[in-house]
Amino acid sequence: MPKLIIDGNEHDVPDGITLIQACGLVGVEIPRFCFHERLSIAGNCRMCLVEVVGMPKPIASCAMSVSDLRPSPDGTPPTINTKSETTRRAQEGTMEFLLVNHPLDCPICDQGGECDLQDQAMAYGFNAGRFKDNKRAVEDKYLGPLIKTAMTRCIHCTRCVRFMTEVAGVPELGLIGRGEDAEITSYLEHGLHSNLSANVVDLCPVGALTSKPYAFQARPWELTKTPSIDIMDAVGSAIRVDSRGKEVLRILPRINDAVNEEWISDKARHVWDGLRSQRLDRPYIRKDGKLSPCSWDEAIAAIAERVKGADGAKFGAIAGDLAAAEEMFALKTLADQLGSPNIDCRQDGSKFDPGLGRATYLFNTSINRIEEADAVLLVGSDPRVEAPVLNSRIRKRWKQLDGKLPVGLIGSDVDLTYPYVRLGAGPETLADIANGKHDFAKTLTEAKKPMVILGPPAMARPDGYEILSLAAKVATGVGALDDGWNGFNILHAAAARVAGLDLGFVPGKNGLGTTDMIAAAGRGDLDVLYLLGADEIDMSALGETFVIYQGSHGDNGAHRADVILPGAAYTEKESTYANTEGRVQMTARAIFPPGDAREDWSIVKAVSDAIGKSLPFGTLQELRGKMYASAPQLAQLDTFGAAQESSVAKMAEHAAKPSDEPFGIAIDDYYLTNAIARASAIMASLSAMGADAEKATGTDG
Amino acid sequence: MSVRRLAAEQPDDFVFTPENLEWAQATVQKYPEGRQASAVIPLLWRAQVQNGGWVSEPALRYVAEMLGMAYIRVYEIVTFYTMFNLQPVGRYYVQVCGTTPCMLNGSEDLKEACRKHIGPKDTVSDDGKFSWTEVECLGACVNAPMVQINKYYYEDLTEESLGKIIERLRKGESVPPGPQDGRQGCAPKSGPNTLIDSSIYGADKSGPEPGYAGTSDSKAKMPGPY
């Protein structure tokens, strides 16, 4: 623990950190532009200069390690003055140079009000500029539909370049030219092919890279900021929803080191325009084959007429990928009261069984502890698409180990942004590893903390349970389950899935699962099918069944529905989600649902009242009380609780006989996975850009 | 210097000739495993030589792929180093030194000669034989003003002598490089003024003549393509 004297006070600071971090630890703020704790050190903005006593010149505190400073000859620890005349003059000089070429267009700049340069110029700048010549001007660059550029404002901190290269793993941004002619650009100005690219907008300390869809929409001080949780994937990234009046204007990441650090995917960030379009803002009822608007009373009366007195076994309910725990619990309770065992939250047909224990369907290692792993086996998973932020964690670990993290993949050939060995295409390779016949089994056995990660394509198939138990056999066989380390991981792609499994939203005794329900509906064996935001099933196969669709967006489900009940989206209700690790988090209400739309649990409650099987709760608090009683783990908010490992070991005992079918791809188009994203024009443009890129690689070959 | 961009018109393709490819593979081998990117500058230089004095976009991609680098990383390098030409150059590429000692000794006149005999700066002459640009110090200040034509230095120039050189090269003649005013190397212009007393030299007359500074290959300094 080196000792330092910072501004006259002696401190012990951890070994190996930099001066700027040491100052931060003891509460002394140093201005900076290029330095960022999660990126490599560049040392090129010079804003963090401080005086170190004994040094002939000011020192860039971001690039100087505390361990490299020596005490003075008389034994006094290294002395840093951050408020001295020397430091102040150095900072003012740097700031004056930075402002030489920075345009004075703050009034028309979107960064205004949240601009590091603006703030630091006020706090550390010189009172006037002495530069009288013309400022330089730089051509703006095209960086895709998310990033608006005003490159004249760029101060060449290279944070964006480092982010794309190091964290996103897509080296497409660079600093070309030199000196005054330096410019940030992508190669030949194509859009950035990364689903984390919009994070560079947050990283940019000036207004050079701003959000294109949000351009000129609002000033930061006009916005109401609501901390919430993202549900575009099952990672549960911490987000901040910025809204004004009735509209969400943007979504930004919040720092949560345990989950998303400070990154979010482009879909999480830019799906907000989908919250405005294609919304179901009033109930609809199908009359003479056509959907027509109606009142809540009419819609619910129509449902009551069909459901009242119907045979419980002919009622089915499917919960979609975005459903929150509260409404799933309400719908499950309703189905119970109707005597129906036909409920399923696994609309992709995956074969999880909550009865086997929580560890059989969670990402048990936890996202945070990916940084301890020393070997990774991906089974039918493409984490870059299923959970971009989680993939960047694996990449981070790969970088921490200097590229020596062995990664094996069984499944489709994909780009993970880090190198991997493709071991095979289907279950037979997994079986080889389980039997120790494959070389990679040795790698996993030798690793101290191996991880096995199963993606949706591995489970969402008829023999999903066989694959699961085979993977559990691999995990137990290679010692992935001991000493407090659980290396058996399920990577979900749907935000609703884990909470649904926790609640037991799966078929009861003799109940029908998703596939069986669809088949039954097609045969005419199902009278009523209740879709809770379930859009990703084959609507054309539902036959003559009476379909109730409850959800926020007019998507596949609403098109097929006989009655539409308009619900709230995740920014419009306070609701519970469990991420793929089983971490339970809550969204917050930033705005109100549009029109007549209502919070989802209250819709189910109203339906139950009309049927005459009233749910045993009248408020959200009462609902939660009942829900926590039936699934206590959902009450453990914002914590990661390790699940019982023994259930994985038990599952491993099953003699698995999977088919030879190779693993497919879960997500065809990352940007169009759910109803909100499909309603978003921004997502559509990103999807089009991706399709163009694929075409280009096809012909360039 | 100004903003540098890739040329608007690009060839369709670039591949190393077999000799260059062999040389390139040997060059890459010089660096440790995983550090192939260290060979990027030599390879780009060879590509520029093969490509007639400029780096084309296909050549850039070719080198990047050969070394497993992202295109943008190679793009950063070719735009950073001004010795990589991104626009086509003439068969004879005249680089006029415009830094202070040359400027004081008349490099402005040399630029005038270039404008007269070749055309505007950074454009290839109509016959495709010449282009010229201004560069920073080429390190021959003692023989200022000077130009570099392809690999060779032409020194102690005047507007007239440079004009003559250009015209002779245009006719396909070979012009010996070095000082163009009869000066010996970078010896004083007024002739030797030290060690001129012949009595200090011994009787041994073996070895080269005094003042001999060339190589044994009389053609080595001849201008020509790269």
Side-chain angles (χ1 to χ4, degrees):
Chain A
M1 295 275 279
K3 277 192 195 319
L4 287 181
I5 297 177
I6 299 172
D7 290 348
N9 302 314
E10 190 170 315
H11 299 282
D12 283 323
V13 294
D15 241 331
I17 61 170
T18 60
L19 275 186
I20 202 169
Q21 288 169 314
C23 291
L25 281 180
V26 305
V28 175
E29 194 198 33
I30 310 271
R32 84 283 304 264
F33 293 113
C34 71
F35 178 77
H36 192 280
E37 301 215 326
R38 292 177 218 276
L39 302 175
S40 64
I41 292 167
N44 52 10
C45 77
R46 315 312 286 178
M47 197 58 215
C48 64
L49 292 175
V50 292
E51 179 193 7
V52 177
V53 173
M55 294 278 191
K57 290 193 270 186
I59 297 295
S61 59
C62 73
M64 173 61 85
S65 165
V66 291
S67 316
D68 289 343
L69 292 173
R70 293 283 163 267
S72 69
D74 62 4
T76 354
T79 306
I80 293 128
N81 295 324
T82 68
K83 308 270 189 301
S84 65
E85 178 67 10
T86 312
T87 304
R88 196 182 58 79
R89 284 174 61 91
Q91 288 168 347
E92 284 178 358
T94 304
M95 182 57 81
E96 200 179 340
F97 273 123
L98 285 175
L99 293 178
V100 155
N101 275 321
H102 191 82
L104 249 181
D105 61 353
C106 302
I108 57 151
C109 175
D110 255 340
Q111 192 85 353
E114 50 186 3
C115 175
D116 288 358
L117 188 62
Q118 216 174 24
D119 296 347
Q120 293 184 27
M122 295 304 289
Y124 304 97
F126 192 56
N127 59 0
R130 287 167 289 184
F131 182 74
K132 297 280 185 261
D133 294 304
N134 288 332
K135 290 172 185 257
R136 75 179 199 141
V138 183
E139 286 168 29
D140 289 344
K141 307 291 185 293
Y142 173 76
L143 296 179
L146 299 182
I147 302 165
K148 178 174 179 260
T149 61
M151 299 317 285
T152 305
R153 298 176 187 146
C154 178
I155 60 168
H156 305 144
C157 70
T158 68
R159 274 187 190 179
C160 51
V161 176
R162 283 175 284 149
F163 174 83
M164 290 304 290
T165 310
E166 293 162 14
V167 180
V170 179
E172 291 191 350
L173 276 182
L175 181 85
I176 62 158
R178 63 199 303 195
E180 199 187 19
D181 300 312
E183 294 176 272
I184 299 284
T185 186
S186 60
Y187 186 65
L188 306 183
E189 290 193 40
H190 57 66
L192 300 178
H193 297 115
S194 165
N195 46 23
L196 291 167
S197 67
N199 286 299
V200 300
V201 171
D202 289 341
L203 286 170
C204 186
V206 298
L209 307 178
T210 53
S211 176
K212 201 178 254 181
Y214 171 71
F216 309 128
Q217 295 290 307
R219 282 300 188 188
W221 55 85
E222 303 171 324
L223 299 170
T224 310
K225 290 127 186 140
T226 314
S228 186
I229 295 301
D230 170 57
I231 61 161
M232 290 300 118
D233 53 34
V235 172
S237 305
I239 55 168
R240 191 184 93 188
V241 180
D242 282 7
S243 57
R244 187 178 57 188
K246 290 198 292 185
E247 287 186 329
V248 172
L249 288 180
R250 63 172 177 178
I251 293 170
L252 297 177
R254 279 186 298 131
I255 295 180
N256 185 350
D257 279 324
V259 178
N260 59 319
E261 301 184 273
E262 58 182 282
W263 323 122
I264 53 172
S265 65
D266 288 355
K267 187 159 56 171
R269 183 187 299 264
H270 280 295
V271 79
W272 51 263
D273 77 325
L275 294 168
R276 299 175 188 170
S277 45
Q278 289 289 99
R279 284 307 296 266
L280 301 170
D281 56 357
R282 68 184 83 167
Y284 288 82
I285 191 162
R286 192 176 291 278
K287 284 180 190 151
D288 310 325
K290 262 186 81 176
L291 281 168
S292 52
C294 65
S295 70
W296 272 107
D297 289 342
E298 288 173 79
I300 287 176
I303 294 170
E305 194 187 313
R306 291 298 296 251
V307 178
K308 220 174 204 171
D311 180 5
K314 293 197 164 187
F315 175 89
I318 300 175
D321 289 350
L322 305 180
E326 282 83 358
E327 57 243 33
M328 282 193 280
F329 181 69
L331 187 54
K332 178 173 188 270
T333 316
L334 177 65
D336 285 348
Q337 294 190 351
L338 290 168
S340 163
N342 309 326
I343 52 173
D344 206 341
C345 66
R346 306 159 303 181
Q347 64 167 1
D348 58 354
S350 51
K351 304 288 179 215
F352 299 109
D353 183 356
L356 296 174
R358 239 186 150 215
T360 60
Y361 59 86
L362 291 186
F363 198 91
N364 292 303
T365 304
S366 86
I367 297 173
N368 207 10
R369 292 185 75 192
I370 292 175
E371 291 180 33
E372 296 171 30
D374 50 7
V376 178
L377 173 66
L378 296 164
V379 182
S381 182
D382 180 3
R384 189 185 178 199
V385 175
E386 289 146 12
V389 174
L390 188 142
N391 192 50
S392 80
R393 265 308 167 106
I394 305 178
R395 185 180 154 80
K396 185 179 179 188
R397 181 58 181 158
W398 171 77
K399 271 184 78 79
Q400 282 172 350
L401 293 178
D402 292 326
K404 296 199 180 66
L405 176 72
V407 181
L409 174 92
I410 306 175
S412 307
D413 201 0
V414 290
D415 178 10
L416 296 177
T417 72
Y418 43 87
Y420 65 88
V421 188
R422 185 155 177 249
L423 307 171
E428 65 280 0
T429 316
L430 188 64
D432 281 352
I433 295 177
N435 302 331
K437 274 192 253 164
H438 199 285
D439 290 345
F440 203 77
K442 203 165 142 242
T443 312
L444 288 170
T445 315
E446 282 167 4
K448 286 199 181 64
K449 293 183 171 178
M451 284 177 79
V452 179
I453 301 176
L454 274 83
M459 292 93 63
R461 46 192 273 162
D463 57 347
Y465 181 71
E466 309 294 312
I467 310 273
L468 263 180
S469 49
L470 200 53
K473 196 176 165 200
V474 172
T476 46
V478 301
L481 297 164
D482 51 18
D483 301 336
W485 175 262
N486 188 340
F488 180 75
N489 296 294
I490 305 294
L491 178 57
H492 292 277
R497 198 75 80 242
V498 171
L501 293 167
D502 280 351
L503 287 168
F505 203 98
V506 288
K509 202 158 180 244
N510 300 324
L512 305 174
T514 303
T515 331
D516 298 334
M517 265 189 268
I518 296 170
R523 286 196 306 269
D525 292 347
L526 206 61
D527 286 346
V528 180
L529 184 59
Y530 199 124
L531 299 179
L532 182 65
D535 287 298
E536 287 82 18
I537 57 172
D538 184 4
M539 299 294 167
S540 62
L542 296 181
E544 297 298 306
T545 308
F546 183 76
V547 176
I548 306 163
Y549 180 81
Q550 176 182 338
S552 56
H553 283 70
D555 203 65
N556 304 339
H559 293 159
R560 168 61 185 84
D562 295 295
V563 178
I564 295 175
L565 304 173
Y570 70 113
T571 49
E572 295 150 10
K573 60 188 174 192
E574 206 182 77
S575 51
T576 308
Y577 290 90
N579 78 352
T580 190
E581 315 165 276
R583 186 186 301 272
V584 181
Q585 304 180 107
M586 267 186 160
T587 62
R589 176 194 282 154
I591 54 170
F592 286 95
D596 292 341
R598 285 161 62 174
E599 285 201 27
D600 290 86
W601 75 271
S602 67
I603 300 174
V604 182
K605 165 79 178 158
V607 171
S608 75
D609 290 345
I611 300 170
K613 308 236 169 178
S614 199
L615 296 177
F617 34 76
T619 64
L620 193 54
Q621 277 65 36
E622 285 172 22
L623 183 155
R624 289 219 176 101
K626 291 259 186 332
M627 182 171 86
Y628 294 156
S630 94
Q633 60 271 42
L634 290 179
Q636 308 294 319
L637 285 182
D638 300 325
T639 47
F640 173 75
Q644 279 287 327
E645 291 174 10
S646 55
S647 51
V648 179
K650 206 164 157 216
M651 192 165 65
E653 288 163 15
H654 174 77
K657 289 187 193 63
S659 69
D660 292 340
E661 181 85 4
F663 300 123
I665 296 174
I667 297 172
D668 283 337
D669 193 332
Y670 167 74
Y671 297 106
L672 302 175
T673 50
N674 60 52
I676 307 180
R678 283 189 289 267
S680 158
I682 304 171
M683 290 302 121
S685 60
L686 283 166
S687 166
M689 192 183 97
D692 281 353
E694 250 166 53
K695 236 187 285 163
T697 39
T699 50
D700 289 358
Chain B
M1 226 189 80
S2 59
V3 176
R4 287 151 54 82
R5 292 274 189 272
L6 295 177
E9 283 178 31
Q10 295 283 353
D12 292 336
D13 201 10
F14 178 88
V15 278
F16 272 142
T17 59
E19 305 82 63
N20 280 346
L21 186 62
E22 194 184 325
W23 171 89
Q25 280 157 353
T27 304
V28 174
Q29 289 295 313
K30 290 179 189 169
Y31 300 97
E33 185 62 35
R35 305 276 174 195
Q36 298 88 339
S38 302
V40 65
I41 289 181
L43 258 61
L44 279 171
W45 183 255
R46 185 58 70 109
Q48 167 160 311
V49 170
Q50 184 187 319
N51 200 40
W54 66 292
V55 180
S56 64
E57 197 264 338
L60 187 163
R61 281 191 280 119
Y62 179 78
V63 170
E65 269 156 26
M66 187 177 248
L67 301 174
M69 296 171 76
Y71 297 158
I72 184 76
R73 294 281 98 81
V74 182
Y75 188 38
E76 285 177 325
I77 290 164
V78 295
T79 53
F80 185 90
Y81 292 104
T82 53
M83 279 175 75
F84 292 119
N85 292 312
L86 302 183
Q87 308 290 334
V89 295
R91 184 167 174 276
Y92 295 102
Y93 178 49
V94 182
Q95 302 178 67
V96 182
C97 174
T99 306
T100 317
C102 282
M103 191 196 78
L104 294 173
N105 279 293
S107 68
E108 291 299 319
D109 296 342
L110 302 189
K111 288 190 224 163
E112 197 46 50
C114 288
R115 274 190 279 270
K116 210 163 101 192
H117 293 274
I118 298 173
K121 188 179 147 200
D122 290 325
T123 49
V124 181
S125 62
D126 292 339
D127 57 7
K129 280 194 175 161
F130 289 92
S131 67
W132 72 279
T133 194
E134 180 182 343
V135 295
E136 300 305 327
C137 186
L138 290 172
C141 314
V142 71
N143 292 88
M146 58 79 65
V147 302
Q148 180 181 350
I149 302 180
N150 294 353
K151 286 199 245 174
Y152 304 102
Y153 277 15
Y154 292 83
E155 298 157 326
D156 296 306
L157 294 166
T158 60
E159 193 174 338
E160 294 73 40
S161 60
L162 179 59
K164 269 186 210 151
I165 291 170
I166 293 171
E167 290 311 323
R168 285 178 66 191
L169 289 172
R170 179 167 276 149
K171 281 185 214 134
E173 296 173 26
S174 63
V175 185
Q180 300 298 312
D181 62 350
R183 179 177 174 184
Q184 180 194 356
C186 51
K189 269 194 169 175
S190 50
N193 52 23
T194 55
L195 306 175
I196 44 181
D197 181 2
S198 58
S199 64
I200 63 174
Y201 297 106
D204 181 9
K205 297 285 187 215
S206 68
E209 291 292 309
Y212 178 84
T215 77
S216 52
D217 178 5
S218 59
K219 289 230 169 118
K221 282 195 164 186
M222 290 298 114
Y226 281 93

